Amino acid sequence: NSMTEHLHSEAAKYLEASRDDQIHWLNTRKWFPYDTGNRMLEKIEAMIKHPPTHRMPSMMLVGETNNGKTMILEEALSRHPRRSIPEEEADQIPVIFITMPPGPELRRFYKQVLDKVGAVHRPSDTTANLESQVLHVLKGVGTRLIIIDELHNISEGKFTQQRQFLNMLRFLSNELRLSFICAGTKKAIRTIQTDDQLANRFKPYNLPEWKDGKDYRRFLYFLESTLPLPEPSNLHKSELARTILTVSERTVGEMVSYVKEATFIALDESSAHLKPHHFEIADYTSPSRRKAEAEQIAG
C-alpha cells in the first residue's frame, strides 16, 4: 500500500491500534541497522561459530554510556536464543548475557551465571562449589559466548579482587573453550590492560561518536520506519536530523529516546507526522543536563 510504504510492515499494524498498544510497540526493543553495529554483529557471529581451541577470541567493546554497546549485544543475544533440542536433556544456551554487578565478586558473578541458565544453587555454597557447578552446567548447555556488559563496574573493587576476577575469565575461557565479550567505558579497558595475557586476548573495538553523514541518515530512516504515524516525516532529509544529533549528544540510545518522546507527543496530538514543535516540547533532557540536574539535587 503506497500510503504506508514509509513504514516497516510490523509498524503499519499499529497505525489503527490503541494508544497503549502504540506506546508498547514504541518501547519494544528493535534493531536498526547501521555500519558499525552491523560490523560488530558480524564479528560476534564469527566468535560464536569459532571452533573450540585453547585460545578463544574475545572482544572488548568500548564506548560511552548509551552509545549502542548494549543495543548491539542484545541483538546478538536475540539472534541466538535458548533452544530445546529433543535428544539433549538440557536446553542449549549458546549466549549468556550478564550485566556486571558493582564490584568484582566471584561468588556474585557465578550466582548470576547460574541464575541466567536457570540452575538451582544454595545460598550457602562456597565459591569453589559454585565454580565447579558453573563449569558443569555451561558444558551441559553448550555455551559459546558470555557477554559481560558494564565491565567498568569491576573497578569498584580492590585490586586483588579485580585480579581474581580477571583470572576467572581466563580460567573459564580455557576450561570451556568459550569466548567473552566485555563491554564498558574506557575505564574497563584500563582494567583489562593490567593483565598482559588478557590484554592480548581481548581485542578492543571502539564505538565511535556519531556524526552527521550517510550512516546516520540511514539510521534515522530505519528508525522512522518503526514509528506508527500515517505520513512520512522524512527525518533523514530534514533540518530535524541535525537537531536530533545535537540534542541527543551524538549517542545512539539517546537519539532513539528523543525521537520516541517526540512521537508520543505527535500521537497525543493525532498528528500525521513529526513536526519540529514535537521535538521542542518532548519530555526529553540531554545526558549532560540530566547529570547537572542530578548533581544539583544531590547538592
Side-chain angles (χ1 to χ4, degrees), residues 100-106 153-158 161-162 164-165:
M100 180 74 193
E105 251 196 0
L106 290 187
N153 285 346
I154 189 177
S155 56
E156 305 289 313
K158 297 192 188 76
Q161 279 186 309
Q162 292 180 21
Q164 278 182 328
F165 191 86

Side-chain angles (χ1 to χ4, degrees), residues 100-276:
M100 180 74 193
E105 251 196 0
L106 290 187
R107 282 177 65 81
R108 208 170 187 181
F109 179 80
Y110 287 144
K111 284 178 171 174
Q112 247 184 317
V113 171
L114 293 169
D115 287 341
K116 279 283 163 168
V117 296
V120 185
H121 51 88
R122 288 193 304 278
S124 60
D125 275 343
T126 63
T127 306
N129 279 354
L130 290 169
E131 183 174 277
S132 59
Q133 201 183 343
V134 164
L135 288 173
H136 175 73
V137 168
L138 293 190
K139 271 192 184 118
V141 298
T143 301
R144 307 293 309 126
L145 174 68
I146 297 179
I147 297 171
I148 306 176
D149 200 6
E150 309 281 331
L151 186 80
H152 43 267
N153 285 346
I154 189 177
S155 56
E156 305 289 313
K158 297 192 188 76
F159 186 70
T160 48
Q161 279 186 309
Q162 292 180 21
R163 295 229 68 86
Q164 278 182 328
F165 191 86
L166 295 175
N167 285 335
M168 178 274 297
L169 292 186
R170 193 167 46 230
F171 170 72
L172 283 187
S173 179
N174 292 343
E175 285 293 305
L176 295 166
R177 309 217 154 172
L178 52 76
S179 296
F180 276 97
I181 297 179
C182 292
T185 57
K186 290 204 175 80
K187 223 178 187 176
I189 269 222
R190 289 197 281 275
T191 308
I192 290 265
Q193 277 170 339
T194 60
D195 183 308
D196 292 342
Q197 282 178 286
L198 276 179
N200 286 333
R201 204 177 278 204
F202 276 87
K203 198 166 175 202
Y205 290 95
N206 194 22
L207 292 181
E209 191 182 65
W210 283 67
K211 50 182 193 291
D212 198 355
K214 211 164 77 185
D215 199 27
Y216 166 62
R217 300 286 173 139
R218 210 175 94 216
F219 179 84
L220 273 189
Y221 175 82
F222 283 117
L223 173 56
E224 190 189 315
S225 73
T226 66
L227 311 176
L229 296 169
E231 289 173 11
S233 310
N234 291 320
L235 294 178
H236 64 294
K237 289 192 278 200
S238 76
E239 271 306 298
L240 281 167
R242 288 224 170 86
T243 310
I244 293 165
L245 193 60
T246 314
V247 176
S248 65
E249 294 172 3
R250 301 174 177 274
T251 53
V252 64
E254 295 293 335
M255 295 184 226
V256 174
S257 301
Y258 188 29
V259 171
K260 202 160 73 176
E261 291 298 336
T263 306
F264 290 151
I265 306 250
L267 290 171
D268 284 343
E269 293 183 357
S270 308
S271 173
H273 56 89
L274 286 168
K275 301 179 180 135

